[in-house]
Amino acid sequence: MKVLVTGGAGYIGSTVASACVDAGITPVILDNLSTGSAEFVQDRIFYQGDVGSAGLLARIFAEHPDIEATIHCAALASVEDSVRDPLAYYRENVAKTTALLEGLLAHGCHRLIFSSSAAIYRADGQPAITESAAIGATSPYGRTKVMAEQMFADVSASSPLRVISLRYFNPIGADPRMRSGRPGGRSTHALGLLIQADQHGIPFKIMGNRYATRDGTGVRDYVHVWDLALGHVAALRRFDALLPPHGGHRYEAINLGSGSGATVRELITAFESVVGHRVRVQQVGPRAGDVPGAYASTDKAGELLGWKPTLSLPDGIRSALEWAASEAAKQHLLVPAQT
Ligand SMILES: NC(=O)c1ccc[n+]([C@@H]2O[C@H](COP(=O)([O-])OP(=O)(O)OC[C@H]3O[C@@H](n4cnc5c(N)ncnc54)[C@H](O)[C@@H]3O)[C@@H](O)[C@H]2O)c1
């Protein structure tokens, strides 16, 4: 089986592509390298370019007519940047997804798996979020995902297209074989900041401690990126059983998370148990717009995909540390020796 993986040079797309390779599925990568890494695609079939390019899609499908499905990971993916430059997010994540859909329909590629996000849900204090929870994104980034999902539901209802939207919670860690991981400089989530603070010997800031949670600090659902990647392989394998080519059911949204939440303090405790030392922390006030947080209900993923996460929070922390160390070692090799 061959699949087109857009954004396959990025953190999640490259891990998904590795999981495909390990499962005997051949990924064909399309990525413009705007944030992705050429290193992650060096052993892959790779096309550098834009998902919105009709000409490039025509070339890819002419050279690989046996592509059976698309996994659409390409997007701009920073909540903070989307507030600063919403137009870029609507262009890259919505307009170019529209162009991609037209191309896929034109080339007869009717199975689509979409990288959606927990950022689409309204943060209304419900701890275990099911797929039927209220939608209400709080950032332009989240709204681009809502719009894309709505477009897929509408288009699949009136065309041969069938779509599974996988709503990721907070991916951590790296490919177990260290083929790729999250570029260190772009970590804005709590674990990335914790690793950076520990490495630089500066205190890690706990933002807010008066939320209605177990210990007052915010809750997040951290899911190992390898589990996430395996969820895509499961979705590919079950695609036609779930959404039969000629059936009436043509769109499905499924959460991929760990199924349990960790508070910031629990994350710190898990981190300390992995590294074997205490980390310096500083309690500060909550960030504007931050929410108590929630975690995924993963029952639907279990039922429909036969998927459940297998790796723990400490596994994800160990993996993220291993990746950070391998990146630091590469940087060290790149720095010219002093003479
Ligand atoms: N990382 C997370 O926490 C998270 C959580 C939920 C959902 N997601 C979604 O998962 C997907 C992958 O995210 P990621 O964390 O791997 O981000 P990433 O930035 O590492 O990967 C995105 C990839 O898409 C490529 N890309 C962007 N725009 C493109 C375009 N117009 N044409 C071709 N390539 C393009 C980039 O070069 C990059 O390689 C995104 O859709 C993101 O919204 C991410």
Side-chain angles (χ1 to χ4, degrees), residues 79 82 89-90 117 119-120 137-147:
V79 169
S82 78
Y89 275 70
Y90 288 110
S117 170
I120 69 167
T138 54
S139 68
Y141 164 70
R143 283 188 280 276
T144 66
K145 294 290 177 186
V146 175
M147 286 181 187

Side-chain angles (χ1 to χ4, degrees), residues 55-80:
L56 184 54
L57 274 183
R59 193 180 134 211
I60 293 172
F61 280 99
E63 292 175 6
H64 304 279
D66 49 344
I67 289 175
E68 291 179 48
T70 300
I71 301 177
H72 181 33
C73 300
L76 296 180
S78 155
V79 169
E80 293 79 13

Side-chain angles (χ1 to χ4, degrees), residues 59-147:
R59 193 180 134 211
I60 293 172
F61 280 99
E63 292 175 6
H64 304 279
D66 49 344
I67 289 175
E68 291 179 48
T70 300
I71 301 177
H72 181 33
C73 300
L76 296 180
S78 155
V79 169
E80 293 79 13
D81 289 351
S82 78
V83 174
R84 274 191 294 272
D85 189 0
L87 197 52
Y89 275 70
Y90 288 110
R91 183 187 64 233
E92 297 301 311
N93 296 3
V94 182
K96 288 185 179 174
T97 296
T98 309
L100 173 71
L101 265 198
E102 286 170 342
L104 296 181
L105 284 168
H107 299 292
C109 186
H110 297 150
R111 296 181 191 89
L112 178 64
I113 295 174
F114 175 59
S115 295
S116 191
S117 170
I120 69 167
Y121 291 117
R122 189 168 71 208
D124 58 4
Q126 179 193 2
I129 299 186
T130 65
E131 289 79 355
S132 56
I135 301 298
T138 54
S139 68
Y141 164 70
R143 283 188 280 276
T144 66
K145 294 290 177 186
V146 175
M147 286 181 187

Side-chain angles (χ1 to χ4, degrees), residues 10-12 31-32 34-36 51 73 75 92 116 141 145 171 186:
Y11 168 51
I12 296 170
D31 197 299
N32 65 7
S34 58
T35 59
V51 292
C73 300
E92 297 301 311
S116 191
Y141 164 70
K145 294 290 177 186
R186 297 215 315 271

Side-chain angles (χ1 to χ4, degrees), residues 2-21 25-33 36-51 56-57 59-60 63-64 67 69-71 73-74 100 180:
K2 212 179 250 183
V3 287
L4 177 64
V5 182
T6 75
Y11 168 51
I12 296 170
S14 62
T15 317
V16 168
S18 295
C20 285
V21 170
I25 298 164
T26 305
V28 175
I29 312 295
L30 167 58
D31 197 299
N32 65 7
L33 297 185
S37 164
E39 193 194 332
F40 296 167
V41 291
Q42 59 192 2
D43 299 327
R44 305 264 150 92
I45 303 169
F46 172 54
Y47 292 83
Q48 183 171 354
D50 209 281
V51 292
L56 184 54
L57 274 183
R59 193 180 134 211
I60 293 172
E63 292 175 6
H64 304 279
I67 289 175
T70 300
I71 301 177
C73 300
L100 173 71
S180 64

